[in-house]
């Protein structure tokens, strides 16, 4: 419902509440002005005055009751009937009081509960109106009785016609509202379908980015390590050293092949296929240290728990990417990796004593570069986590990831 509709309903309620008072006031003024002509005796005038006071008190009482017991119900129907009786009695004393009696034409729907009783109520309101049109309810004059009956019939015919057209208009309005709601429903369905398509397209794009990151973290890093080992072989003249680096390159190739096969299957890091996250992370740190010759230590704090596969995979991938960045850029001599289980989150810290950098002046990632910090941050945010980086030139770097503690279902 719009604001305009609400304001309209509020004004309508105020009108229906104040309308009987206004009609009673108008009827009283006209009756008082014509009292000498229509109410010749003091007894009639006193009776009319008493009924006017009774009507006013009665209206005030209903205004108080209707705040907690609005109609239509049996209480409002009783009020309607009593008001009609007072209006009818006043009209017998002075036809101008029919102004008060016609109040029932306006609020029948709000006060009378059943449709059949509404028709009877409207017919009842037409009786004092027809009596006023014939200068009072006839008692002895047969001609006035005929005129009264004709006016009563005419009033009810007109009332029926007006009511019929009003019902038709209400029905058309209801049909138009239903049509508008149906159109809105169809538009919402089309919008929902469009949103689903957009969400599907966004999911496809996100999956492509994730696959690209997976390839970068597995095959690309493995090939980089193999190239590094083979470059050492090409430069050394020591057969034993060359054999050792060839063996490392072979191990890296096997590991990368396993990761590639795993990526095709379910995109979970191969290290998590057989080990929990702490053990897989420990092996990753040890293998990285052996491959790079940099001292690296893994520390576990808090009781380890069986995390959801996506959370474990994300933390392991961030660790692999952070170590790859250290090997590529930091020139560090020592690295520390800490995995901490807390009450409602898991944190990962990767610290090195390398040359550091200025985080605010990171170069823009190119088409040939790695996913780096942006990739790690995107991974953490994908599972409602966050990633922060602290670094200064000459003071090393600290990468910290915080993700929700979501247990394996």
């Amino acid at each position: 419902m719009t604001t305009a509709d609400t304001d309209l309903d509020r004004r309508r309620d105020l009108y229906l509440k104040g309308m009987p008072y206004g009609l009673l006031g108008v009827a009283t003024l006209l009756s008082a002005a014509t009292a000498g002509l229509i109410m010749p005796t003091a007894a009639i005038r006193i009776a009319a005055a008493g009924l006017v006071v009774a009507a006013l008190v009665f209206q005030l009482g209903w205004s108080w009751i209707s705040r907690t017991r609005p109609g239509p119900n049996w209480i409002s129907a009783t009020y309607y009937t009593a008001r009609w009786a007072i209006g009818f009695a006043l009209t017998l004393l002075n036809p101008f009081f029919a102004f008060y009696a016609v109040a029932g034409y306006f609020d029948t729907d709000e006060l009378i509960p059943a449709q059949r009783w509404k028709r009877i109520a409207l017919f009842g309101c037409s009786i004092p109106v027809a009596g006023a049109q014939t200068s009072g309810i006839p008692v002895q004059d047969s001609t006035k009785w005929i005129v009264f009956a004709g006016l009563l019939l005419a009033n009810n015919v007109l009332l029926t016609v007006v009511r019929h057209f009003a019902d038709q208009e209400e029905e058309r309005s209801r049909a138009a509202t239903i049509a508008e709601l149906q159109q809105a429903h169809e538009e919402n369905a089309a919008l929902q379908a469009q949103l689903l398509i957009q969400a599907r397209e966004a999911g496809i794009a996100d999956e492509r980015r994730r696959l690209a990151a997976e390839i970068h973290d597995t095959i690309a890093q493995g090939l980089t390590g193999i190239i590094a080992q083979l470059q050492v072989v090409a430069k050394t003249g020591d057969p034993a050293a060359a054999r050792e680096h060839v063996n490392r390159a072979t191990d890296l190739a096997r590991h990368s092949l396993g990761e590639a096969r795993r990526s095709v299957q379910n995109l979970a890091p191969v290290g998590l296929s057989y080990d929990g996250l702490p053990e897989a992370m420990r092996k990753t740190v040890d293998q990285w240290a052996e491959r790079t010759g940099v001292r690296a230590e893994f520390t576990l704090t808090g009781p380890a728990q069986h995390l959801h596969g996506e959370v474990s995979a994300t933390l392991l991938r961030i660790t692999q990417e952070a170590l790859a960045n250290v090997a590529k850029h930091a020139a560090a001599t020592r690295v520390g990796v800490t995995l901490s289980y807390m009450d409602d989150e898991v944190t990962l810290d990767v610290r090195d004593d390398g040359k550091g950098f200025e985080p605010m002046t990171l170069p823009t990632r190119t088409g040939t570069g790695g996913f780096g910090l942006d990739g790690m941050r995107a991974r953490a945010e994908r599972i409602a986590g966050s990633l922060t980086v602290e670094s200064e030139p000459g003071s090393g770097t600290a990468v910290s990831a915080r993700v929700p503690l979501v247990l394996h279902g």
Side-chain angles (χ1 to χ4, degrees):
M1 181 178 292
T2 64
T3 303
D5 293 335
T6 302
D7 292 340
L8 182 62
D9 289 341
R10 187 183 300 112
R11 289 194 294 268
R12 181 174 181 273
D13 290 340
L14 290 175
Y15 167 75
L16 290 177
K17 290 178 180 178
M19 175 263 302
Y21 293 99
L23 293 176
L24 179 62
V26 171
T28 302
L29 290 175
L30 294 174
S31 298
T34 59
L37 296 175
I38 301 177
M39 297 183 291
T41 65
I44 295 177
R45 296 172 189 170
I46 294 174
L51 286 174
V52 169
V53 173
L56 180 60
V57 173
F58 186 70
Q59 288 294 153
L60 292 172
W62 171 247
S63 297
W64 180 76
I65 294 174
S66 62
R67 295 176 183 177
T68 56
R69 299 293 298 274
N73 50 45
W74 69 270
I75 296 178
S76 61
T78 302
Y79 155 74
Y80 185 96
T81 304
R83 186 184 66 186
W84 175 86
I86 295 174
F88 180 76
L90 284 169
T91 305
L92 290 178
L93 300 176
N94 191 317
F96 283 108
F97 279 113
F99 278 102
Y100 178 60
V102 300
Y105 280 148
F106 300 96
D107 54 11
T108 304
D109 291 334
E110 284 70 25
L111 300 177
I112 304 299
Q115 188 65 32
R116 177 169 59 90
W117 291 109
K118 290 179 182 179
R119 297 192 188 96
I120 296 175
L122 291 173
F123 176 79
C125 289
S126 68
I127 295 176
V129 172
Q133 291 170 335
T134 56
S135 301
I137 300 295
V139 177
Q140 297 176 346
D141 193 331
S142 59
T143 303
K144 283 189 175 182
W145 274 112
I146 296 174
V147 173
F148 171 77
L151 289 172
L152 185 63
L153 177 62
N155 286 334
N156 279 277
V157 169
L158 290 174
L159 186 63
T160 302
V161 172
V162 172
R163 187 83 177 181
H164 173 72
F165 284 118
D167 290 342
Q168 281 192 334
E169 183 63 28
E170 183 178 357
E171 186 64 29
R172 281 195 296 266
S173 176
R174 186 182 298 111
T177 301
I178 293 175
E180 291 176 359
L181 291 175
Q182 181 65 28
Q183 182 179 359
H185 176 73
E186 293 174 355
E187 291 176 354
N188 287 337
L191 179 60
Q192 184 178 12
Q194 183 179 357
L195 291 175
L196 287 175
I197 293 174
Q198 292 176 351
R200 189 179 298 112
E201 291 176 349
I204 292 173
D206 184 68
E207 186 66 16
R208 286 174 177 170
R209 288 191 295 268
R210 192 160 72 93
L211 283 171
E214 290 288 337
I215 293 172
H216 169 264
D217 292 341
T218 56
I219 299 174
Q221 289 187 20
L223 292 175
T224 300
I226 293 171
I227 291 172
Q229 298 299 324
L230 293 179
Q231 285 176 341
V232 174
V233 172
K235 294 178 181 180
T236 185
D238 184 356
R243 189 179 305 108
E244 180 182 353
H245 288 290
V246 169
N247 289 336
R248 289 181 180 178
T250 302
D251 290 339
L252 281 172
R254 290 195 183 98
H255 179 79
S256 298
L257 179 61
E259 286 283 6
R261 288 172 175 170
R262 189 274 317 150
S263 296
V264 173
Q265 293 175 352
N266 57 10
L267 293 179
V270 69
L272 296 173
S273 299
Y274 309 102
D275 301 316
L277 177 61
E279 187 60 28
M281 197 169 288
R282 188 186 304 278
K283 290 181 179 180
T284 297
V285 172
D286 292 343
Q287 292 170 358
W288 180 87
E290 181 182 356
R291 186 167 63 251
T292 61
V294 178
R295 180 181 176 185
E297 297 179 353
F298 172 75
T299 303
L300 174 66
T301 63
Q305 302 190 55
H306 192 189
L307 301 177
H308 189 278
E310 186 68 19
V311 176
S312 297
T314 297
L315 291 173
L316 184 56
R317 288 304 186 209
I318 291 175
T319 302
Q320 292 172 336
E321 180 65 24
L323 292 174
N325 287 344
V326 173
K328 188 182 301 182
H329 305 292
T333 61
R334 185 173 179 178
V335 177
V337 178
T338 303
L339 179 65
S340 303
Y341 288 85
M342 302 180 183
D343 292 336
D344 56 357
E345 66 179 7
V346 184
T347 63
L348 168 67
D349 297 290
V350 182
R351 301 177 180 271
D352 67 73
D353 61 354
K355 59 185 181 181
F357 62 95
E358 179 57 54
M360 301 302 295
T361 60
L362 283 176
T364 304
R365 185 170 70 87
T366 64
T368 58
F371 283 79
L373 297 175
D374 288 341
M376 289 188 284
R377 184 172 288 107
R379 287 183 182 278
E381 291 175 351
R382 190 178 295 127
I383 58 171
S386 62
L387 185 133
T388 58
V389 179
E390 298 177 2
S391 183
E392 291 183 8
S395 299
T397 302
V399 176
S400 299
R402 308 173 75 93
V403 300
L405 192 153
V406 182
L407 300 180
H408 179 72

